């Protein structure tokens, strides 16, 4: 290692040359990425470009060149998160997924868990896209901070285990209440049916017990 004055001068010159070449390369990469984004037909194409060139987002020139495209995609992701939030607010019971689950013979809690898991995967996919567009620390950046907060809040509400625990607690209460009723212990019960009030023998089996079997199957 040459520590003389001449050696230090040569080293500084080499550093300056390196910086010039890196600036020129960074400028070329910024133009290349911007050209590719401009040529995209829709948001899906833009997401793919950002995913491919994501490591370049650490460079200042590159970030400046793609800023407007980032804002477009952030808006797209924000709208998608809002739609998922509205979907959750309407609740599973009134959703089209609940109707399809009933037609397929899927019990209510199992259907709700599947619905929540599907939405959870969609939120994670949107968060991954934000990482592709802004970089791995996107949640700490000003542009992505609010979206990160909204996504985390929605994920906390989509906890399938919470749905299951609430269902188990409800069933425990019902079983405790029914166990104290002597009538429920008989296999056959007699009830008045029809307008004439005729006595009819019926099997003492509630539909909810069949539902319980299907839920835990």
């Amino acid at each position: 290692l040459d520590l003389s004055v001449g050696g230090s001068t040569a080293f500084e010159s080499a550093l300056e040359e390196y910086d010039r070449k890196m600036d020129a390369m960074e400028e070329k990469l910024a133009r290349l990425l911007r050209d590719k984004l401009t040529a995209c037909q829709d948001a899906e194409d833009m997401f793919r470009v950002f995913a491919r060139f994501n490591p370049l987002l650490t460079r200042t020139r590159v970030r400046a060149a793609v800023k407007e495209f980032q804002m477009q995609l952030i808006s797209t992701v924000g709208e998608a998160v809002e739609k998922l939030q509205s979907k959750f607010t309407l609740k599973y019971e009134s959703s089209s997924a609940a109707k399809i689950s009933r037609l397929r013979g899927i019990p209510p809690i199992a259907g709700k868990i599947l619905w929540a898991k599907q939405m959870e995967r969609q939120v994670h996919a949107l968060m991954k896209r934000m990482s592709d567009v802004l970089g791995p620390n996107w949640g700490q950046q000003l542009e992505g901070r609010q979206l990160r907060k909204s996504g985390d809040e929605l994920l906390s509400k989509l906890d399938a285990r919470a749905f299951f625990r609430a269902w188990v607690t409800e069933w425990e209460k019902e079983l405790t209440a029914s166990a104290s009723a002597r009538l429920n212990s008989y296999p056959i019960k007699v009830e008045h049916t029809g307008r004439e009030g005729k006595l009819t023998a019926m099997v003492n089996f509630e539909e909810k017990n069949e539902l319980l079997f299907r839920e835990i199957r």
Side-chain angles (χ1 to χ4, degrees):
L1 182 62
D2 187 356
L3 299 178
S4 65
V5 176
S8 297
T9 302
F11 179 71
E12 290 176 0
S13 298
L15 280 179
E16 290 177 0
E17 180 64 21
Y18 172 80
D19 288 339
R20 283 196 296 271
K21 289 184 177 180
M22 287 301 297
D23 285 344
M25 180 60 69
E26 192 172 318
E27 184 67 31
K28 289 180 181 179
L29 289 172
R31 287 200 302 269
L32 171 65
L33 184 52
R34 186 177 178 83
D35 289 344
K36 284 186 173 293
L37 289 169
T38 303
C40 289
Q41 300 295 319
D42 52 30
E44 289 296 325
D45 289 343
M46 288 188 190
F47 280 121
R48 281 191 286 269
V49 171
F50 270 108
R52 181 180 177 186
F53 293 94
N54 179 265
L56 296 178
L57 297 177
T58 58
R59 310 302 300 184
T60 305
R61 290 176 185 270
V62 174
R63 287 202 307 271
V66 301
K67 186 72 173 180
E68 63 180 281
F69 298 101
Q70 287 177 319
M71 299 310 295
Q72 290 179 34
L73 296 181
I74 290 171
S75 177
T76 299
V77 173
E79 291 174 1
V81 171
E82 287 179 2
K83 287 180 181 179
L84 289 176
Q85 288 174 328
S86 299
K87 187 177 178 181
F88 177 81
T89 302
L90 292 174
K91 298 190 179 300
Y92 166 75
E93 290 75 13
S94 59
S95 68
S96 59
K99 298 176 182 178
I100 295 174
S101 294
R102 284 195 293 270
L103 290 174
R104 293 179 175 177
I106 300 174
I109 296 302
K112 188 172 186 177
I113 290 175
L114 291 173
W115 171 78
K117 285 292 186 182
Q118 183 184 41
M119 288 184 64
E120 184 180 342
R121 285 193 296 270
Q122 291 174 340
V123 174
H124 282 304
L126 291 172
M127 299 301 99
K128 173 62 170 60
R129 287 190 159 184
M130 286 297 296
S131 178
D132 291 339
V133 171
L134 292 177
N137 64 336
W138 66 272
Q140 302 172 11
Q141 299 179 33
L142 179 62
E143 299 88 345
R145 198 174 300 155
Q146 183 57 45
L147 262 178
R148 182 77 202 195
K149 181 180 177 182
S150 300
D152 289 343
E153 287 178 354
L154 185 54
L155 286 174
S156 66
K157 296 174 183 177
L158 291 170
D159 185 4
R161 289 173 296 182
F163 297 152
F164 182 74
R165 285 193 296 268
W167 173 74
V168 170
T169 301
E170 182 181 347
W171 265 103
E172 287 176 344
K173 291 179 180 178
E174 290 189 14
L175 290 174
T176 301
S178 62
S180 61
R182 187 178 179 186
L183 179 62
N184 290 330
S185 63
Y186 298 120
I188 301 295
K189 60 182 179 180
V190 178
E191 294 183 351
H192 292 281
T193 59
R195 294 181 178 179
E196 299 178 359
K198 293 182 179 180
L199 293 175
T200 305
M202 305 176 65
V203 176
N204 189 14
F205 185 80
E206 296 187 21
E207 184 180 356
K208 64 181 180 180
N209 293 326
E210 178 189 358
L211 196 61
L212 174 62
F213 169 76
R214 289 165 55 198
E215 291 282 13
I216 63 176
R217 183 176 53 185

